[in-house]
Every structure is written in C-alpha cells, then in structure tokens.
Amino acid sequence: SQELEQSPQSLIVQEGKNLTINCTSSKTLYGLYWYKQKYGEGLIFLMMLQKGGEEKSHEKITAKLDEKKQQSSLHITASQPSHAGIYLCGADIGNAGNMLTFGGGTRLMVKP
Amino acid sequence: DAGVIQSPRHEVTEMGQEVTLRCKPISGHNSLFWYRQTMMRGLELLIYFNNNVPIDDSGMPEDRFSAKMPNASFSTLKIQPSEPRDSAVYFCASSFAGGNTEAFFGQGTRLTVV
C-alpha cells in the first residue's frame, strides 16, 4: 500500500542484536496494528496502538506510536531466531473501525 | 474457537476455470475481510463485510472477482474466469466491527492458475 510505508524492506541481524522497523503513514492514523507472518502462514497479531505517544511491550518487542508524525516503530531487543519472519504494520486510515490497509512488510532474518 | 478457517489451503487450476475460496469467520465476529498477498503488491484489501453486508469492495480488481456472505458464519470469494495473474495467497480475516479491535487471519489459500 502506498499509504503505509515500511522500512527497511528486509533486515538481516545477528542473534542478540537489537533492531527497529518503521511504519509511516501519509494519512491520519486512527489505529495502528503490528502483525507477524511466517512463510506460508497467516498473520499473527502482535500489538495495537491508538493514542499519540502510546507505547506497548510484549516480551522483547516494543511498539510506539507517534501520532503527530504519523509514524510507528517496532523495536526488538536481543533478537532471537524465533523472531524471524515478516512484520507488517496495518492501519485504519479511514476511521472505519477496523478496515485495515497494510504496509509492504519487513522481512527479518536472524542469524544464529 | 478454531480461529478463522479457510479452504482449500492450496488450489491449482487451469486458466479460464472458476475458482471458489471459502471462509468461516470466528463465531461472534461481525466483520469479515478478504485480502490478497503477492510479492509485487504486498497485502491488498479486496472487500470488507459488516454484518454480512459488503461495505467496501473498491479493492476488487475487476468483474471477474465476486464475494458473498450469505450468513454470519460463511463467505466465499469467486474468480471466474481465472487468469495466471490471479495467482496469489488469499487471506480471510474477521473481527468485531467498530471497536478498534484486531483482525484475526486465517491460514490463507494459495492459488496457482496455470
């Protein structure tokens, strides 16, 4: 989707390293969702952010939403091979409740 | 709950044939989404239902694609006639409408049109 830009498109890190994935919108974000996808499988919900400045964490993954900048970041601390996959940000940019459009995804590989 | 159930998981068909993909949303969810995922275009929203009514079908690529939701527990996406460029993974997702709650995705149907 051109409305949500993710960077980088792909990322290879050494196990134990930290990393950050960014998601930028060209429109107002009414809700920002992070999902993870493994090859050949469906999307698994990670976190949802709604308010400007909101931050949520789950295990070693932290997501932040900067509503003024229409941007969100996903940070993984001390990456592990289990973190490998495709990370997608999705957003309700029409305030339709939960009609999500998605960014192009970030493909993460973690080298043991 | 078993989650969102899609069938078949894999489909290989010849160009020109009709293809029907099926989805059973999570019980109690009143929003249903069909997405298509390709390497070139990523994850695209095709159509969105709310309480079995199509709300936004602007993502449906052309008239060859049609989607129905005859009841709250079943939806179909039909392609007729199919073309090689329709090859993709098709996902169905469901959620509660209007509450800014997450959508739950099925495992997808990998469609190959030869």
Side-chain angles (χ1 to χ4, degrees), chain B residues 17-32:
Chain B
Q17 296 298 307
E18 175 182 305
V19 176
T20 299
L21 311 180
R22 296 173 175 79
C23 175
K24 182 181 187 311
I26 291 174
S27 178
H29 283 183
N30 54 358
S31 289
L32 184 139

Side-chain angles (χ1 to χ4, degrees), chain A residues 35 37 48 50 97-98 100, chain B residues 33 35 37 95-96 100 102-103:
Chain A
Y35 284 84
Q37 183 182 28
M48 175 182 67
Q50 288 184 262
N98 48 10
L100 299 185
Chain B
F33 311 82
Y35 287 89
Q37 186 176 40
S95 71
F96 291 109
N100 283 324
E102 69 270 26

Side-chain angles (χ1 to χ4, degrees), chain B residues 71-94:
Chain B
N71 57 63
S73 60
F74 184 66
S75 177
T76 59
L77 178 68
K78 183 181 293 185
I79 308 173
Q80 180 186 22
S82 58
E83 297 182 3
R85 59 194 169 115
D86 301 330
S87 298
V89 181
Y90 291 80
F91 287 103
C92 176
S94 71

Side-chain angles (χ1 to χ4, degrees), chain B residues 55-72:
Chain B
I55 303 300
D56 188 330
D57 65 354
S58 58
M60 296 286 263
E62 47 196 276
D63 291 345
R64 297 184 297 106
F65 286 68
S66 62
K68 294 182 179 180
M69 192 165 186
N71 57 63

Side-chain angles (χ1 to χ4, degrees), chain A residues 20-34:
Chain A
T20 299
I21 299 169
N22 294 302
C23 177
T24 303
S25 173
S26 59
K27 298 184 179 181
T28 302
L29 293 170
Y30 294 96
L32 191 286
Y33 301 73
W34 283 100

